[in-house]
Amino acid sequence: MRFFSIIFLSHVLIFSYFSSSSSHAATPHLCQDDQNSVLLQFMNESLSEPNPKLASWKPDTDCCSWEGITCGNATGHAITLDLSNGYLQGTIHSNSSLFKLQQCLTYLNLSNTRFSSQAPLQVSRLTKLVSLDLSFNMGLSYCSISGPIHSSLSNLPSQKLISLETLSSEVPEFLVNMSSLVSIHLRDSELHGEFPTNFFRLPTLQEIDVNLGIRGTGFHGKIPESIGSLELLIDLDLNGLNFSGPIRNSIGSLRKLQNLDLSSNHFKGIDSDLLRLTSLNLSDNSLDGVINYSLFIFPLLKVLDLHENRLQVLPPQLPYKPSPFLKELDLSDNVLQGPIPRWIAQLTSLEVVYLSSNDFKGSMDLDIPNSTFPQFQTLVSHSCNMVEFPTFLQNFQNLIELDVSNNRIKGHIPTWIWTRSLRFLNLSLNFLTGMDQPFPNASTPLYLLFLDLHSNNIQDPPVFPQDAHFLDFSNNSFTLVIPADIGSYLYNAAFFTVAGNNAIVLEVLDLSNNNLDGTIPSCLGNFSSSLTMPRVYAESLTILVFNGNQLEGKVPSSLYGCQKLEVLDLVNNQINDIFPFRLENLQQLQVLILCSNRFYGQIKHPRMRNAFPMLHSFRSLHILDLSSNNLDGPIPSSLENVHELESLALSNKKLSGEIPVQLTSLTFLSFLDLAGNNLEGAITSGGQFNTFPPKSYEGNPMLCGFPLSRKCRVDEEAKASAYERLLDSDPRIEFDWRVAWIGYGCGVVAGLSIGYILFWGNGIFA
């Protein structure tokens, strides 16, 4: 899928969802009382567990407003029943309440449910059905779907569409007796043998969809010539059926055919008249050499997909004028070479072109001056061996998406790239070094939503489009400071990284491994002395990573306003501050890594006597790393309040005193590092402390007891008795063998922290 298409498709789907919800809510109360009760009875018969899809099915509401139900405007009868993707299972018995709707129900969808193989036999009693979908029904016996028990479906006199997807046998013979069929869907099945020529005895067929995708072994040989008898056929999808040879006149004789998908077969050429097609997909076949010129002169063609073949050259000339309606052309994943011929300019309706993964060997420029495609919107040409920008693009005033990533383009980014219509721009993985002047600035209107410049060698200041959602400037050579008004440019950003630069930042903010200096930026307020960021960051930021820089000063108080923060990583900086006790306000904080800085003093609130009095508020904390700082004093016993703690690193400090026995209540603790301190006395035993290796305690010469070799002089039995008393007083303390040693050191904990959130936790990538 194309990234930009996904963005806008998601917007369309969201709009459609709310539009349908609004219209659904406005449905007049038409449902008849008897049908209300019938539907509720059927739900109770078939529901195996609570189903969110049927949450709207309530006795005191109108069934015409229920999800999956559509009523006739005039009668109020339920004419559509869509139970797909639900937790429905069992057998539809002959006395099922469903059959009380047999005089009105015209559409039934039981796909992605678990009804038994008796379902088709019973639903055949719904004699008014026009459309039946039993696809992906995990309760059906696939191997018997063509057997006698299912032949009853042919008794549906009005049936026009049937979907029996995911079959694992031959095409059911009974289908040929369904004389009213208009559409047959057999997608994603495992069909084999001879292609079912019995289809061709169904004169009413307008659509055949036997797309096997990657599941089926397919058929063998060629498309039967008798397919030409389907005079009403409009849509034909034979994807992945293993056909070979040329596309012959049997297809060309289908006078009403508009949409043809023959992708993922073994066709080598075209010997057929396909002039009436509006959409043609020949991708993933065995086409090679010069592209057949006839493909470009079909007068009604709008979509042509030839990707993933072995095509080498576009026809240099055409004997006739090319299609005036062609909008989308996909030539990606071939071995095409340039230049692109002049006749391409005559495709005046062209909007989208995919040319990725070809071999243009330098230039992909059109062999014409000042070409203009008034409707052109998308060019995707990554991995094409280009060494320069396609300059003809500067004339495309409506360009929305441009992807020329992973090429060999050198030099500067041209000024014309920053067209006001562009929404998606990917120039990553090239050899770009800068930008042509004049640079885009605050007065240059940029409407980019996606900007990817990573892995170049750009030294000029980065461009910050005001509405961008995705910005990747990583692995370049940016050296200048980020502008003071960065907040106004990144108001809508969900992903922003400048990692791997020399630059002087949202759910993910990754500034690791740079040469940042000065004070740590705030989530609100000042970003040093003048840089500001808007309040929206405090409302959305979940991951903040500043490790491996040279930040100094104190942790800014404004950071404590980032209420959704889950990961705070300040590893390997020069922050000089007391323990940032106000982080207790971040109720969702799961990972806190402050190691290798200059934090000092005891681990406590500066105005309170007891150490760590705030830690009872860190209820979501899983990882805490304070190692390699200048902290001193005892290990606070109040750590027992951090019940979810899994990793604790307090090494290389000046901590003293005994290890609090209360820490044995941390039943999820699987990593402990107390090395390099001044701790003394017997190592606490019991709970998870029975699982930690000697490395957890090394560098504490006054510690003794298991797992160290130094024996303690204290009365071990007395200590064990004390632990038993503590166990009796606090039932939370119990031994748990579920976990074991998982790592060691500041770097390991830092890696585990990000991995935890990204892959197992509740972070933005979970």
Side-chain angles (χ1 to χ4, degrees):
M1 294 292 293
R2 317 291 179 183
F3 184 91
F4 191 70
S5 301
I6 292 174
I7 293 176
F8 280 91
L9 179 58
S10 65
H11 290 175
V12 171
L13 291 176
I14 292 171
F15 176 79
S16 300
Y17 173 81
F18 286 108
S19 298
S20 62
S21 299
S22 299
S23 62
H24 217 224
T27 302
H29 288 255
L30 298 173
C31 186
Q32 300 182 4
D33 292 339
D34 60 334
Q35 294 195 353
N36 241 39
S37 58
V38 165
L39 289 167
L40 289 172
Q41 184 179 353
F42 178 68
M43 178 186 69
N44 293 329
E45 294 169 355
S46 309
L47 196 61
S48 60
E49 57 184 279
N51 184 356
K53 184 172 183 176
L54 302 185
S56 60
W57 289 37
K58 298 179 180 179
D60 56 346
T61 59
D62 175 22
C63 77
C64 295
S65 67
W66 296 351
E67 184 174 356
I69 302 294
T70 302
C71 296
N73 290 331
T75 64
H77 290 300
I79 59 175
T80 290
L81 178 56
D82 183 353
L83 300 175
S84 60
N85 304 304
Y87 304 103
L88 298 161
Q89 66 178 14
T91 300
I92 300 178
H93 296 286
S94 58
N95 61 349
S96 171
S97 56
L98 177 66
F99 301 119
K100 296 178 182 179
L101 303 174
Q102 65 183 33
Q103 294 301 316
C104 60
L105 203 61
T106 61
Y107 175 94
L108 178 61
N109 188 345
L110 299 179
S111 63
N112 287 291
T113 56
R114 293 180 178 272
F115 283 110
S116 74
S117 58
Q118 295 290 328
L121 173 63
Q122 301 299 340
V123 300
S124 63
R125 297 172 53 192
L126 300 171
T127 55
K128 299 294 185 180
L129 275 186
V130 171
S131 176
L132 173 63
D133 191 344
L134 298 175
S135 59
F136 297 97
N137 195 311
M138 303 305 292
L140 292 179
S141 174
Y142 297 146
C143 294
S144 66
I145 199 159
S146 59
I149 192 171
H150 294 81
S151 61
S152 60
L153 291 175
S154 62
N155 297 326
L156 295 171
S158 303
Q159 188 73 19
K160 299 191 181 302
L161 183 149
I162 188 167
S163 181
L164 299 173
E165 302 174 9
T166 62
L167 302 180
S168 60
S169 63
E170 296 181 354
V171 176
E173 285 288 338
F174 69 81
L175 291 178
V176 299
N177 298 320
M178 304 179 75
S179 57
S180 298
L181 270 185
V182 172
S183 299
I184 296 178
H185 292 178
L186 302 175
R187 297 174 63 91
D188 294 295
S189 296
E190 299 180 7
L191 303 176
H192 52 81
E194 296 287 341
F195 187 78
T197 56
N198 50 13
F199 280 1
F200 310 147
R201 300 201 300 269
L202 294 172
T204 57
L205 271 184
Q206 298 180 24
E207 179 186 18
I208 298 178
D209 187 346
V210 196
N211 186 325
L212 300 190
I214 61 174
R215 291 175 56 90
T217 55
F219 303 99
H220 53 78
K222 302 175 181 178
I223 298 177
E225 293 289 335
S226 53
I227 196 173
S229 63
L230 298 176
E231 297 180 352
L232 300 180
L233 198 63
I234 297 174
D235 300 311
L236 178 60
D237 187 343
L238 302 179
N239 175 295
L241 268 62
N242 204 33
F243 287 128
S244 60
I247 302 170
R248 298 192 179 277
N249 286 331
S250 55
I251 299 291
S253 63
L254 299 172
R255 300 301 179 184
K256 292 186 177 295
L257 190 64
Q258 297 179 14
N259 304 304
L260 177 61
D261 187 343
L262 300 178
S263 57
S264 300
N265 283 281
H266 303 287
F267 293 113
K268 294 184 177 180
I270 300 175
D271 294 335
S272 180
D273 175 7
L274 303 174
L275 295 178
R276 298 165 188 81
L277 290 181
T278 59
S279 174
L280 175 60
N281 188 346
L282 296 176
S283 63
D284 191 16
N285 273 284
S286 300
L287 305 176
D288 59 9
V290 180
I291 302 178
N292 191 318
Y293 74 84
S294 65
L295 296 175
F296 295 98
I297 63 174
F298 299 156
L300 303 177
L301 197 63
K302 296 180 180 179
V303 178
L304 176 59
D305 189 345
L306 300 174
H307 85 269
E308 202 169 342
N309 281 281
R310 296 293 298 170
L311 297 166
Q312 299 174 357
V313 182
L314 283 161
Q317 295 180 340
L318 299 182
Y320 307 102
K321 186 177 180 179
S323 170
F325 300 111
L326 191 63
K327 293 184 177 181
E328 182 172 334
L329 176 62
D330 192 342
L331 300 175
S332 57
D333 295 286
N334 281 282
V335 286
L336 289 174
Q337 302 177 10
I340 298 176
R342 302 171 68 92
W343 57 261
I344 290 287
Q346 300 179 47
L347 300 173
T348 54
S349 296
L350 205 58
E351 297 179 3
V352 178
V353 175
Y354 300 117
L355 296 174
S356 301
S357 301
N358 277 287
D359 191 17
F360 286 104
K361 293 182 178 178
S363 174
M364 196 196 68
D365 242 340
L366 287 172
D367 187 23
I368 53 174
N370 301 322
S371 62
T372 301
F373 296 90
Q375 306 302 321
F376 197 86
Q377 297 180 4
T378 300
L379 176 64
V380 179
S381 297
H382 63 76
S383 309
C384 285
N385 282 323
M386 292 188 297
V387 298
E388 60 184 27
F389 282 99
T391 57
F392 64 90
L393 292 175
Q394 61 187 305
N395 298 308
F396 295 171
Q397 300 302 315
N398 296 312
L399 191 66
I400 293 177
E401 177 180 4
L402 176 60
D403 183 349
V404 291
S405 60
N406 196 27
N407 281 286
R408 295 183 291 115
I409 302 175
K410 302 177 182 179
H412 284 197
I413 301 173
T415 302
W416 59 261
I417 282 288
W418 313 113
T419 170
R420 61 183 300 135
S421 62
L422 205 60
R423 298 292 185 272
F424 177 105
L425 178 60
N426 191 344
L427 305 180
S428 63
L429 295 162
N430 278 288
F431 298 96
L432 299 168
T433 57
M435 305 181 191
D436 283 345
Q437 295 186 7
F439 297 145
N441 53 40
S443 63
T444 306
L446 297 176
Y447 300 100
L448 283 165
L449 301 177
F450 180 103
L451 176 58
D452 191 347
L453 300 177
H454 85 266
S455 300
N456 281 281
N457 192 30
I458 301 173
Q459 300 179 24
D460 294 323
V463 174
F464 295 101
Q466 188 166 359
D467 296 323
H469 297 298
F470 181 100
L471 292 171
D472 190 346
F473 300 144
S474 60
N475 298 314
N476 277 280
S477 300
F478 295 127
T479 56
L480 300 180
V481 296
I482 296 175
D485 56 350
I486 183 70
S488 63
Y489 288 104
L490 300 182
Y491 192 84
N492 294 315
F495 184 93
F496 173 40
T497 175
V498 292
N501 282 280
N502 295 314
I504 301 292
V505 194
L506 284 242
E507 285 182 286
V508 175
L509 179 56
D510 184 355
L511 299 175
S512 58
N513 300 316
N514 279 286
N515 292 314
L516 301 179
D517 56 18
T519 58
I520 186 171
S522 304
C523 202
L524 301 171
N526 291 332
F527 217 97
S528 74
S529 60
S530 60
L531 189 57
T532 60
M533 300 181 76
R535 176 174 293 274
V536 67
Y537 281 7
E539 298 172 353
S540 62
L541 193 68
T542 60
I543 300 178
L544 182 57
V545 180
F546 278 104
N547 71 58
N549 286 285
Q550 300 178 29
L551 296 170
E552 56 188 32
K554 300 181 181 297
V555 177
S557 59
S558 55
L559 182 66
Y560 306 138
C562 301
Q563 292 298 315
K564 292 187 178 180
L565 197 65
E566 297 176 6
V567 175
L568 177 58
D569 182 350
L570 304 178
V571 175
N572 291 321
N573 283 282
Q574 301 180 39
I575 300 172
N576 190 8
D577 200 357
I578 62 173
F579 179 81
F581 62 93
R582 289 180 59 188
L583 290 173
E584 65 174 326
N585 295 323
L586 306 184
Q587 298 295 318
Q588 298 186 39
L589 191 64
Q590 300 180 39
V591 176
L592 176 59
I593 311 180
L594 305 178
C595 65
S596 298
N597 279 281
R598 298 179 180 177
F599 288 97
Y600 60 89
Q602 295 192 19
I603 310 173
K604 66 176 184 178
H605 193 296
R607 293 190 296 274
M608 296 185 179
R609 294 182 179 180
N610 297 324
F612 258 167
M614 79 295 290
L615 276 178
H616 68 279
S617 299
F618 284 86
R619 301 192 183 277
S620 299
L621 201 64
H622 291 265
I623 297 176
L624 176 62
D625 188 346
L626 303 177
S627 56
S628 300
N629 279 285
N630 295 317
L631 297 167
D632 56 21
I635 297 175
S637 60
S638 55
L639 273 169
E640 66 171 333
N641 296 316
V642 191
H643 303 307
E644 301 295 323
L645 198 62
E646 298 177 35
S647 175
L648 176 62
L650 301 173
S651 64
N652 299 312
K653 296 183 179 63
K654 302 175 183 178
L655 300 179
S656 58
E658 296 185 344
I659 300 174
V661 69
Q662 288 88 346
L663 300 190
T664 57
S665 66
L666 300 175
T667 56
F668 295 108
L669 194 64
S670 56
F671 175 83
L672 178 67
D673 184 6
L674 302 178
N677 283 289
N678 297 314
L679 300 172
E680 58 183 292
I683 294 175
T684 298
S685 61
Q688 295 302 104
F689 278 75
N690 290 350
T691 68
F692 300 132
K695 183 175 287 189
S696 295
Y697 310 101
E698 65 183 12
N700 290 278
M702 292 184 287
L703 278 180
C704 61
F706 178 83
L708 299 179
S709 59
R710 290 189 295 274
K711 301 297 182 181
C712 295
R713 297 180 181 178
V714 299
D715 187 352
E716 295 293 339
E717 293 183 0
K719 183 157 186 167
S721 176
Y723 171 72
E724 290 176 358
R725 289 194 301 271
L726 178 63
L727 182 63
D728 291 338
S729 64
D730 191 347
R732 297 171 302 170
I733 304 175
E734 57 183 12
F735 183 68
D736 189 345
W737 288 96
R738 296 182 304 156
V739 292
W741 179 258
I742 60 173
Y744 186 80
C746 177
V748 172
V749 175
L752 289 173
S753 68
I754 302 301
Y756 179 88
I757 291 299
L758 295 186
F759 299 105
W760 292 286
N762 296 318
I764 64 167
F765 297 120

